[in-house]
Amino acid sequence: MEDKNLAKLKIDKEFLKELEKKEEEALKSGKISLMYDVLDTLLALDMEADRIDRLYSKILETAFDALAEYLTSFRHFDLSKEEELYTVRAIYEHALERYDEGDFKGAKELFLILSLVTDDEDFKKAMLLHTAAAAASVDLNAFLQKFVDHSKLDENSFFFTVFTEEAEDFMEKNRDAIEKELENLKKLASGEGR
């Protein structure tokens, strides 16, 4: 049923015109939440890859600009605010992409930064697990199978934040490595690491 509806939308000229208008408005606004709304629709409709890539690139550009601003002003993202939540989502998804591609160092650094730019304790803890797993070169599939508690996943969440007992054991065994990564990032932020 759903596939039939999507197929109808893909050829509905009025809907496509409205979607294009919404995309232009989202890009002009610079709001990541609006851009994601359009992106999610483009993905569901399996639209042209170039169009999807262009929009996703703009989302990442906007998110990383916001991250740079937050880091230099020592502000934290508030995950209860929609635009800030979607900004963190973009950075997190990019980190997962790097992780999936085997760029453990790049993923580790992004997860570590994400652990520091929000005050949400559950999110921080989750990002530290991601950091430790990437630092230990645990591939993404193994991470998802071993550490994510799929029975407790919230399908509306953008982040993996519920974990198995095996994940807790892994964190305990890697506590020193995590502390070292946090210390290195603090030194870098203070200028000592230059």
Side-chain angles (χ1 to χ4, degrees), residues 13-25 37-39 41-42 45 47 51:
K13 290 180 182 181
E14 191 173 315
F15 172 79
L16 293 175
K17 187 176 181 181
E18 189 61 34
L19 180 60
E20 193 172 317
K21 181 181 174 188
K22 194 173 178 183
E23 183 177 353
E24 288 173 23
E25 289 171 357
D37 188 35
V38 173
L39 180 67
T41 303
L42 294 175
L45 294 173
M47 300 299 272
R51 186 174 176 188

Side-chain angles (χ1 to χ4, degrees), residues 1 16-17 20 33 56 127 147 176:
M1 176 80 174
L16 293 175
K17 187 176 181 181
E20 193 172 317
S33 57
Y56 187 58
M127 290 307 102
F147 298 152
D176 290 342

Side-chain angles (χ1 to χ4, degrees), residues 3 25 30 36 43 49 75-76 84 90 145-146 156 182-183:
D3 288 341
E25 289 171 357
Y36 257 118
L43 289 168
R75 290 174 44 207
H76 290 97
E84 294 183 32
Q145 289 174 358
K146 289 181 179 180
N156 295 318
L182 286 167
E183 197 57 42

Side-chain angles (χ1 to χ4, degrees), residues 137-150:
S137 299
V138 173
D139 73 56
L140 181 59
N141 286 332
F143 174 84
L144 295 174
Q145 289 174 358
K146 289 181 179 180
F147 298 152
V148 176
D149 187 342
H150 296 274

Side-chain angles (χ1 to χ4, degrees), residues 8 43 51 54 80-81 116 118 123 127-128 130 133 143 146-147 151 160 163-164 167 177 186:
K8 285 180 184 176
L43 289 168
R51 186 174 176 188
R54 184 180 70 243
S80 68
K81 294 181 178 174
L116 298 174
T118 175
F123 183 79
M127 290 307 102
L128 290 177
H130 286 66
F143 174 84
K146 289 181 179 180
F147 298 152
S151 68
F160 296 116
F163 302 107
T164 62
K186 287 177 186 173

Side-chain angles (χ1 to χ4, degrees), residues 43-144:
L43 289 168
L45 294 173
D46 196 26
M47 300 299 272
E48 328 55 75
D50 288 348
R51 186 174 176 188
I52 290 169
D53 291 344
R54 184 180 70 243
L55 185 57
Y56 187 58
S57 292
K58 183 63 177 174
I59 288 170
L60 288 179
E61 177 187 325
T62 306
F64 278 95
D65 286 349
L67 177 62
E69 180 186 321
Y70 275 60
L71 288 172
T72 56
S73 63
F74 302 100
R75 290 174 44 207
H76 290 97
F77 288 103
D78 181 347
L79 299 183
S80 68
K81 294 181 178 174
E82 183 180 56
E83 195 61 22
E84 294 183 32
L85 172 68
Y86 276 84
T87 301
V88 172
R89 172 189 175 182
I91 297 162
Y92 178 73
E93 287 180 355
H94 183 67
L96 285 177
E97 285 174 11
R98 286 185 151 188
Y99 193 13
D100 191 36
E101 293 167 357
D103 179 5
F104 297 114
K105 183 180 184 298
K108 173 192 75 172
E109 291 168 354
L110 286 172
F111 293 136
L112 187 59
I113 289 168
L114 284 171
S115 76
L116 298 174
V117 293
T118 175
D119 286 332
D120 185 295
E121 289 303 318
D122 290 335
F123 183 79
K124 282 181 173 210
K125 185 177 176 183
M127 290 307 102
L128 290 177
L129 174 62
H130 286 66
T131 301
S137 299
V138 173
D139 73 56
L140 181 59
N141 286 332
F143 174 84
L144 295 174

